[in-house]
Amino acid sequence: MNKKNRKRNLLAATLTAALLTAPMALSLPAGQAAAAKASPILKTTATPFSIEGKRTSIATIHKDNTTYIALRSLNASLGLSTTYEKAADTVKITGRDRVLQIGLKDSSFKLNGQPIYNGSEAIVQNNTTYLPLRVLLEQMGYAVSYEQASKMIGIHAVQENKLKIGTEAIASEEDGKSIHVYYPVLSGYSDTAVQNKINAFLKKEADRNVAEGSKEMDPQAKENMKILAGNPKADVRTPSLDGQYTVSYNEKGKLSLYVDYYVYTGGAHGMTVRQPYTFDLATGDVLSLKEAAGGKENYVSAINKEIKDQIKNRHMDLMVPFQTIEADRDYFLNRNGIVIYFTQYEYTSYAEGMPEFVIPYSAFK
């Protein structure tokens, strides 16, 4: 499957393990905590932490292979500010040029104005509301590590590029279609020309994907209108397009992110197409995979080897054998390396989503 089909076929195709998915807790006054979702009384355990190099011990709760911890023990060390909005029953966490809002009734999460998915629920115990560690720390710009021998959890702030990332939205509920697409907007960067160049590019990309998704939804929207014209009470499902972005890397003069566009046009489920972008903050240009790999001539073979090894080690069941990536394969960066992913149905079933393969930066040295 070539790159153009993978990227543009929006409508047709597309701390260690447990601790890194762990939630963290936030302390609220008794009256406020009572408004959050109640949870069974769970056992607490003293756990060693290293916060910015300073060692301490904090009581944690372990449930379903996940670690929960009270934010009141970390708030001062991390420099985060927390407030509770009673009317909305929402916790707001502010710091590092970010605002994370958490709805306690439905455990909804919104980062810098964009809804983000999180499967964990808030838990109340002893007048403390416990919230997801991974969402709180990683989304707020912290790195989490785990030392197996000492069972110590390490937390430190990531040294990010000096810029802010806000959110804009394209939303519409017209012509029998539902569109809710979020895209990032940069501000505060020292080179305003580069900032404006990247913002213009991301806006153009968002508009283009919305236009393509809207066109794909047209046939189902028109069919629904015909059905409703004959029977206004008919049960029809509105075709929809949803887009959410994730910033995966913002360090060392590079900014990498991706937008997942999910389009539903009828049937059991829709399809997701991922659009990744990695920018050189010195120029505002989008970097190719070869450029991200340091310009190494053997970057394709190096990536192929890593993917094949990971497929074997993860005992992955592929629908067709993996042979090689394309030279211009889509990718994004994270702190550990270049991330290559399989699109939906490319090598695996729909239920497998989009398997990711992190290629360590050391593979290109």
Side-chain angles (χ1 to χ4, degrees), residues 1-14 181 201-202 204-216 241 259-263 271-277 330 341 343:
M1 182 181 296
N2 62 40
K3 181 177 180 179
K4 181 178 179 181
N5 287 338
R6 288 198 320 274
K7 292 185 67 175
R8 296 282 30 97
N9 202 351
L10 181 60
L11 21 153
T14 261
V181 169
F201 175 87
L202 291 172
K204 184 177 180 180
E205 284 288 283
D207 287 339
R208 179 172 59 82
N209 280 283
V210 167
E212 292 180 1
S214 180
K215 184 177 180 181
E216 174 63 17
L241 172 67
V259 187
D260 282 341
Y261 291 97
Y262 176 84
V263 61
M271 294 294 294
T272 299
V273 169
R274 177 167 292 174
Q275 292 270 208
Y277 312 101
D330 287 338
Y341 58 92
T343 58

Side-chain angles (χ1 to χ4, degrees), residues 165-205:
I165 301 175
T167 301
E168 292 290 342
I170 301 173
S172 174
E173 297 288 343
E174 300 176 349
D175 302 322
K177 297 175 287 188
S178 174
I179 298 174
H180 291 88
V181 169
Y182 298 88
Y183 63 94
V185 178
L186 277 57
S187 65
Y189 190 52
S190 58
D191 192 328
T192 55
V194 167
Q195 176 178 286
N196 293 341
K197 180 178 179 179
I198 294 174
N199 283 339
F201 175 87
L202 291 172
K203 177 62 165 65
K204 184 177 180 180
E205 284 288 283

Side-chain angles (χ1 to χ4, degrees), residues 11-13 237 262-272 344-345 350-351:
L11 21 153
R237 184 171 175 181
Y262 176 84
V263 61
Y264 175 79
T265 58
H269 57 73
M271 294 294 294
T272 299
Q344 288 182 332
Y345 289 124
Y350 182 86

